[in-house]
Amino acid sequence: MIWRRLKHLLPSRRRAEERDMQEELDALVQIAGERELGNLTLAAENARETWQWTSLDAVVADVRYAFRGLRKNPGFAAVAITTLAVGIGANTAIFSVVNSLFLRPLPVQDPYRLVVLAPRERGSSEFHDLSYPDYRDYRAHAGAFSDMLGFAVGMDGIAVDQGTHQVLTSYVTGNYFSMLGVRPALGRFIEPAEAETPGAAPVLVLGYTCWQRQFNSDPGVIGKSARLNGHAVMIVGVAPEQFHGTFSLAETDAYLPVGMLAIEDSSFWTARGKRELRAIARLKPGMSLKQGRASLQVIARSLAEQYPDTNKYTSMEAYPEWRARPQPDSAGSWPAMVGIFLTLAFIVLLVACVNLASILRARGNARESEMAVRSALGAARGRLVRQLLTENVLLAIVGGAAGILLSTWISMVLSSICTPIDLPMVRLNFRPDWRVFAYAFGVALLAGLMVGLGPMRSAWRSNLSIVLHEGGRALSGSRRRNRRNVLVVTQVAASMVLLIAAGLLVRSLEGAQRMNLGFDPHHVLNLSMDLHQIGYDESRGKNFYGELLARARALPGVESAAFVFSVPFFHDRFLSTVHIEGRPLSPGAAPSDVSYNVIDPALFQTLRIPILRGRGFNEADNETAPPVAIVSQAMAERFWPGQDPVGKRFRITKPTNPLLEVVGVARNAKFVRPTPEAEPYFYVPLSQNYTARMTLQVRSSRPAEALEREVLHEIRALAPDLPTYDVRTMEESLGGTMGFFLFRVGADLAAGLGILALFLTIVGVYGVSSYAASQRTHEIGLRMALGATGQDILRMVLGEGLRLIGTGVLIGLGIALAVSRAISSLLVGVSASDPMTYTAVSALLGGLALVAGYMPARRAMRVDVMVALRHE
Amino acid sequence: MELLQGTLDMLTLRTLLFGPLHGYGIAKAIRSTSNEMLEIEFGSLYPALKRLEAKGWIASKWETSEHNRRAKYYRLTHAGRKQLTREHSKWTEFVDAITRVMGNAPGEVER
């Protein structure tokens, strides 16, 4: 039975069937006469229908027919497929970014049951990490989870034979690999006893890429010893190739026992204030996220009662793992951004589809007669609609395939746009997977339907007699023209919305860059280093800092040099609660979090931040002197409004910590983020707050490359093994993840999409106008014969275009005004209804569209009356 | 008289029970068996034949007619015979049911 149907798929078989049917009908005509048998063409068409409808043959026949149609019109096919490819490609590329960032699950067992713990202090919008004892308590008591792992991410120095490399490390609990259910590619993983027993011999598991890159995939590394930050470790295994660790976006190079965090400070095991771990838990089967959250909150409350010093204000939330990349984010700014860009990309698709619809409309002229003739010969309407549907879907699929190809190229461009300068290890893998293909396919089908709806509807309704009797000219009827006008208006309006969004984002980038940062980023070179990585202790470190500063300042052309923990917009910073002396917290109020920085006294000169009151730090502020701090204007106004803050004192972290005395007030400088409002901020001296990871900032009018070489030379002379990283000018560094990065990505993406839409719209308007003008040649000829001048014709044609484009621009402006609020969270220094953007975009789009409409109109004006009248 | 929807297949199968016929022959046979009451459109019959053939209920073969003319003859297959039995009993049930609902002609309904 199935074979009987399938064999119809063979073209030869089908031809034989067709021949046989003709012979049979001919024979019957011989017997009965044509009159007796009635409409044989209809009978044959219906017979064909029955066997086609029951077999796949119908589809094959339609597809073959559609292919033939495309081959016969290569120009049309090329334009249509390119247009679709642009629309589908843009959408697929944006989606593949979303996919790689948020949708692709971790390559572990049952990834959708993983939940990230997100502890937060009351009043703070940001989540923090967990201390080891807190982690133990959550792990032991959270009943909704079958297991819970903890890990801490670090940048460390690893030395195998010689030379130290900086690697991204994860310090993991003993159940890390077993809970995730991954198997080692080589050797073994870290045993529970090795990970969480004080004093256990340290072991190391290499990431697969690190093993390939730094060890040439040598299986002999197992059992080798290495030095991590100067401590001996033994390499025991290699992680599998697909597994990149649980710190999403970046690839972990080495996994270490969490106990190594306690080597230099054994309070790690017990101090609840030492928050260093991120925890991921696995929900028990049948447990919901809500239940999981509830069970965590119970523990958070009991910890707050038991340990009020550290846990009093801590509350606990939890997010599915894919929602917490790269870290839990309560504001949900990533999903918002993703939604905005998917929408913008969708507008490009809409514009592309409208273009294609216009082209099909023009081409529909010829098709209309074909359809009418087939219909008159007895083809069912359903059959014709199906044929058109097949053609559009085929077009969409070919366009979609081209779009996927295009999107892999766009993705390559995107991954270079989207790799932040300060986090080069970020792993952006936009490689398409089934989700991307499914999305592209869905978008392509949608495009096919959008494009095909018009022609399909008219085929369904096609009024035979009109088409057959009045021929081509019936097609310039007013209903038809109206539909064409709708297409133009839609296209212009959609492009307006997209271009305004793009304009606002570009203006926002300008706004961010134009912003008064409060420091001078020009002519400053940054070099980062971490003395931990070569195992320096505090006293060696302090010597090194002093020595390097002296050598750097002695280099020719160096104006000033200083160490700083967080350079402006650095991805890491200190954040602490602040307790003001003599001002106990009112009950129930949570202390405020303030960001601060550890600096060398000369930083204020190096970044040219003026001290407004009091003094800067100096040599006298050393370990033995009373602890001091310098606060920003914003911090002074927040905590001591109307008073002189100099001489006031405060504590950080805990109310029992030593008091810091404010010795000066510095002008507001934006260290954390380029936001318009100034946040409270303060500085403490490096001499009183030793930190192993610092950045050297050197101000010099000399070119950065020469200076860089000389400074690196001095570092190597002092500590030959010390790796340096993030070596770049301060201006470059402003483009980092916390700096202008997102502004730039947003502006680049939106501008790219905007240019695509603009291009498509111009082409579309030009095409529609040309077609309209050619359709009206006869009418124009008549008007001219009746005395209209070329000027009149030009005015008429252009006036019509102007009206259409104006309508589109106005509608677009209205929609943009209504929806631009959605992107206001991404805007800095420009309002969502920025009149300049709206005016400029209207002028640009309106102007270009008019030019595109003008050229065909000019041609129409020059029409020869006789030719036009004879035109049919 | 117009054919009741869906009965053409059944009528065709029943007609072929007497022996193979060509397409026009089937139309003629139904017409004469029904005392010229049933009007068979060849335009509907022909696709129906193709449909029945695709389902395997009838089979076709080129043969020579009584007037020495070649034509394609359709005959009932084994599967078609079974199908006819099914359709026949369905039809009887259908007629019974309709008759029960319709009862006597409206003029004779008891008051």
Side-chain angles (χ1 to χ4, degrees):
Chain A
M1 191 86 151
I2 289 183
W3 165 240
R4 204 172 289 132
R5 289 184 189 184
L6 283 181
K7 71 185 176 190
H8 289 302
L9 288 178
L10 299 172
S12 59
R13 173 77 212 178
R14 225 196 113 185
R15 275 195 295 274
E17 197 96 34
E18 182 75 24
R19 213 167 37 234
D20 192 61
M21 185 168 80
Q22 276 317 324
E23 274 176 39
E24 180 183 5
L25 292 176
D26 288 346
L28 289 179
V29 169
Q30 294 291 312
I31 294 171
E34 199 144 354
R35 183 166 294 235
E36 193 70 10
L37 294 177
N39 186 346
L40 280 183
T41 318
L42 180 64
E45 173 92 28
N46 284 342
R48 242 177 251 129
E49 178 86 1
T50 62
W51 94 54
Q52 284 174 347
W53 198 231
T54 51
S55 71
L56 282 167
D57 193 35
V59 180
V60 175
D62 283 352
V63 168
R64 282 159 47 92
Y65 188 80
F67 255 120
R68 219 175 323 140
L70 285 184
R71 261 215 314 270
K72 258 194 278 175
N73 292 290
F76 161 76
V79 170
I81 291 169
T82 311
T83 306
L84 273 175
V86 167
I88 296 170
N91 273 273
T92 308
I94 301 271
F95 179 79
S96 67
V97 176
V98 178
N99 180 49
S100 87
L101 293 180
F102 303 106
L103 300 183
R104 196 179 290 158
L106 286 178
V108 304
Q109 198 186 314
D110 209 0
Y112 294 110
R113 304 201 65 79
L114 296 181
V115 167
V116 174
L117 273 63
R120 170 156 68 164
E121 295 308 289
R122 191 193 305 161
S124 167
S125 62
E126 285 170 55
F127 297 108
H128 56 69
D129 291 334
L130 278 178
S131 68
Y132 181 76
D134 281 355
Y135 157 75
R136 293 291 308 191
D137 287 335
Y138 282 108
R139 176 172 160 186
H141 299 119
F145 301 98
S146 57
D147 203 356
M148 186 183 296
L149 63 81
F151 70 103
V153 176
M155 295 293 292
D156 297 288
I158 184 173
V160 177
D161 293 320
Q162 52 191 342
T164 306
H165 304 281
Q166 177 173 267
V167 289
L168 182 75
T169 50
S170 282
Y171 293 86
V172 303
T173 51
N175 58 349
Y176 184 85
F177 293 104
S178 60
M179 180 184 127
L180 296 174
V182 291
R183 311 222 162 286
L186 210 62
R188 64 175 178 87
F189 283 146
I190 298 165
E191 307 280 337
E194 289 170 325
E196 292 167 74
T197 316
V203 293
L204 182 152
V205 171
L206 288 171
Y208 196 89
T209 309
C210 179
W211 176 60
Q212 276 184 318
R213 208 179 41 220
Q214 309 224 355
F215 298 92
N216 295 317
S217 306
D218 173 17
V221 293
I222 307 296
K224 244 187 174 176
S225 64
R227 299 188 78 74
L228 189 99
N229 297 348
H231 303 287
V233 292
M234 191 172 73
I235 300 172
V236 295
V238 176
E241 188 171 5
Q242 318 84 314
F243 183 70
H244 303 290
T246 39
F247 180 57
S248 49
L249 309 194
E251 170 141 16
T252 303
D253 295 312
Y255 304 85
L256 295 148
V258 76
M260 282 192 79
L261 294 172
I263 288 186
E264 279 154 48
D265 181 1
S266 63
S267 71
F268 169 81
W269 301 112
T270 51
R272 288 182 192 268
K274 284 204 165 310
R275 293 165 171 162
E276 298 187 49
L277 294 182
R278 184 166 317 162
I280 300 181
R282 182 181 287 286
L283 278 170
K284 273 183 188 162
M287 285 288 176
S288 68
L289 179 65
K290 215 171 144 198
Q291 288 167 304
R293 249 182 216 152
S295 84
L296 292 171
Q297 278 153 2
V298 171
I299 304 167
R301 274 194 293 276
S302 94
L303 289 178
E305 269 170 40
Q306 274 177 278
Y307 309 103
D309 269 7
T310 47
N311 292 49
K312 189 170 175 190
Y313 303 109
T314 311
S315 64
M316 180 62 85
E317 283 160 56
Y319 295 95
E321 189 276 329
W322 62 269
R323 271 278 280 111
R325 297 180 189 175
Q327 54 211 1
D329 166 27
S330 59
S333 50
W334 273 107
M337 190 146 166
V338 163
I340 287 164
F341 283 102
L342 282 179
T343 310
L344 295 185
F346 189 77
I347 296 179
V348 173
L349 180 71
L350 180 71
V351 173
C353 285
V354 171
N355 256 11
L356 200 51
S358 313
I359 301 172
L360 283 175
R361 178 141 290 282
R363 188 171 169 255
N365 217 345
R367 295 305 295 278
E368 195 100 14
S369 328
E370 174 200 332
M371 291 295 152
V373 170
R374 282 189 67 179
S375 174
L377 288 178
R381 273 193 310 196
R383 186 81 182 73
L384 294 184
V385 170
R386 210 175 60 204
Q387 173 69 52
L388 282 172
L389 183 69
T390 310
E391 284 178 21
N392 290 318
V393 167
L394 176 78
L395 208 55
I397 287 175
V398 176
I404 289 176
L405 283 183
L406 188 64
S407 82
T408 56
W409 178 78
I410 300 176
S411 295
M412 244 156 56
V413 177
L414 282 183
S415 73
S416 71
I417 291 177
C418 293
T419 303
I421 186 168
D422 54 339
L423 298 172
M425 71 287 194
V426 160
R427 186 179 51 86
L428 291 169
N429 182 356
F430 297 152
R431 183 172 40 81
D433 54 18
W434 67 266
R435 264 171 244 98
V436 172
F437 288 125
Y439 187 83
F441 187 70
V443 169
L445 274 189
L446 185 69
L449 286 179
M450 285 204 282
V451 168
L453 226 49
M456 268 163 21
R457 215 179 55 169
S458 42
W460 187 254
R461 290 200 187 148
S462 64
N463 189 331
L464 289 183
S465 57
I466 290 183
V467 177
L468 287 178
H469 290 158
E470 300 183 22
R473 224 167 321 141
L475 301 177
S476 54
S478 69
R479 197 183 56 143
R480 213 153 286 277
R481 205 180 301 155
N482 277 342
R483 223 180 284 155
R484 195 163 62 219
N485 294 350
V486 168
L487 290 180
V488 172
V489 170
T490 310
Q491 195 167 40
V492 172
S495 303
M496 274 298 287
V497 175
L498 178 48
L499 283 170
I500 285 175
L504 289 173
L505 289 169
V506 169
R507 293 263 294 155
S508 166
L509 173 65
E510 281 171 13
Q513 286 170 335
R514 233 187 5 247
M515 188 187 299
N516 179 10
L517 298 170
F519 60 88
D520 176 6
H522 309 290
H523 310 297
V524 174
L525 177 69
N526 297 347
L527 301 96
S528 300
M529 59 206 77
D530 186 346
L531 297 178
H532 250 132
Q533 295 179 353
I534 49 170
Y536 274 25
D537 59 10
E538 180 167 345
S539 73
R540 282 184 83 183
K542 282 195 165 169
N543 275 336
F544 172 85
Y545 286 148
E547 192 67 27
L548 181 57
L549 274 183
R551 288 183 179 217
R553 286 170 185 155
L555 289 174
V558 170
E559 215 175 287
S560 158
F563 276 105
V564 60
F565 177 75
S566 310
V567 300
F569 310 150
F570 190 54
H571 52 80
D572 201 1
R573 66 189 153 124
F574 289 113
L575 182 73
S576 172
T577 51
V578 165
H579 307 265
I580 309 295
E581 184 189 27
R583 203 182 301 163
L585 280 172
S586 51
S592 338
D593 275 329
V594 179
S595 305
Y596 70 99
N597 208 344
V598 174
I599 63 166
D600 180 83
L603 183 79
F604 293 116
Q605 284 102 59
T606 308
L607 285 184
R608 295 192 170 149
I609 301 170
I611 300 293
L612 302 175
R613 303 180 70 90
R615 63 171 176 90
F617 297 130
N618 58 38
E619 295 299 309
D621 299 318
N622 56 26
E623 302 96 312
T624 53
V628 290
I630 290 172
V631 299
S632 73
Q633 284 166 285
M635 172 144 175
E637 278 151 28
R638 161 88 80 87
F639 293 101
W640 300 280
Q643 301 173 48
D644 184 1
V646 175
K648 296 285 191 296
R649 299 199 295 180
F650 63 97
R651 294 183 168 91
I652 57 174
T653 317
K654 274 196 286 189
T656 50
N657 273 350
L659 282 162
L660 301 178
E661 185 182 335
V662 178
V663 295
V665 179
R667 194 174 72 189
N668 284 331
K670 294 183 201 310
F671 269 86
V672 180
R673 261 185 280 265
T675 47
E677 59 289 343
E679 284 179 64
Y681 200 76
F682 65 94
Y683 309 83
V684 293
L686 174 61
S687 52
Q688 296 179 341
N689 303 268
Y690 175 74
T691 311
R693 189 179 81 199
M694 294 295 276
T695 298
L696 177 66
Q697 296 203 290
V698 184
R699 172 173 290 281
S700 165
S701 48
R702 287 177 52 209
E705 302 84 56
L707 188 65
E708 179 185 319
R709 248 192 331 271
E710 288 168 29
V711 177
L712 285 175
H713 179 78
E714 297 300 335
I715 293 174
R716 234 163 271 134
L718 285 170
D721 268 354
L722 181 65
T724 46
Y725 51 94
D726 292 349
V727 180
R728 64 179 67 97
T729 65
M730 185 65 235
E731 279 171 293
E732 285 169 345
S733 160
L734 293 177
T737 16
M738 289 296 162
F740 303 138
F741 174 65
L742 287 185
F743 294 96
R744 188 177 54 76
V745 170
D748 284 0
L749 277 185
L753 292 174
I755 288 170
L756 282 186
L758 183 64
F759 174 75
L760 289 173
T761 305
I762 300 309
V763 171
V765 170
Y766 178 79
V768 168
S769 318
S770 307
Y771 177 66
S774 73
Q775 283 292 297
R776 293 175 68 184
T777 312
H778 186 78
E779 177 201 330
I780 290 169
L782 261 183
R783 283 176 191 268
M784 288 177 91
L786 293 174
T789 63
Q791 289 298 321
D792 294 334
I793 299 298
L794 182 66
R795 208 172 301 128
M796 178 188 82
V797 176
L798 208 54
E800 231 161 75
L802 192 66
R803 223 180 46 236
L804 283 185
I805 292 162
T807 313
V809 166
L810 281 180
I811 293 177
L813 276 178
I815 297 176
L817 260 179
V819 301
S820 62
R821 219 165 302 274
I823 63 165
S824 60
S825 65
L826 304 181
L827 301 182
V828 160
V830 57
S831 107
S833 49
D834 178 44
M836 192 175 131
T837 308
Y838 283 66
T839 318
V841 169
S842 309
L844 175 74
L845 183 60
L848 283 179
L850 263 187
V851 171
Y854 173 71
M855 289 187 284
R858 262 183 73 86
R859 265 207 309 276
M861 182 184 87
R862 297 222 197 86
V863 102
D864 181 325
V865 179
M866 284 326 286
V867 173
L869 283 177
R870 254 185 256 121
H871 175 86
E872 178 54 76
Chain B
M1 191 189 281
E2 291 253 333
L3 266 191
L4 219 52
Q5 194 103 46
T7 52
L8 181 58
D9 288 10
M10 180 177 74
L11 292 175
T12 309
L13 292 177
R14 181 74 178 88
T15 307
L16 287 178
L17 193 59
F18 303 123
L21 283 170
H22 55 64
Y24 179 60
I26 298 173
K28 266 201 317 195
I30 297 179
R31 213 175 298 156
S32 64
T33 318
S34 68
N35 274 337
E36 314 289 322
M37 290 288 277
L38 294 177
E39 200 53 52
I40 300 296
E41 287 281 348
F42 185 72
S44 323
L45 175 67
Y46 188 66
L49 287 175
K50 290 289 155 193
R51 202 161 52 232
L52 294 173
E53 194 180 13
K55 285 178 175 163
W57 293 336
I58 59 176
S60 65
K61 205 165 128 194
W62 283 97
E63 275 172 40
T64 310
S65 76
E66 60 266 38
H67 307 299
N68 215 9
R69 278 194 169 131
R70 264 170 59 77
K72 206 170 188 184
Y73 276 75
Y74 293 88
R75 66 174 176 78
L76 209 55
T77 63
H78 187 65
R81 217 172 272 268
K82 276 205 240 163
Q83 176 65 18
L84 179 59
T85 318
R86 272 196 297 275
E87 299 244 339
H88 194 272
S89 62
K90 251 169 56 190
W91 171 251
T92 326
E93 279 170 33
F94 177 75
V95 171
D96 282 354
I98 297 288
T99 315
R100 236 170 272 138
V101 173
M102 296 306 285
N104 299 328
E108 302 161 25
V109 171
E110 294 165 33
R111 278 166 294 269

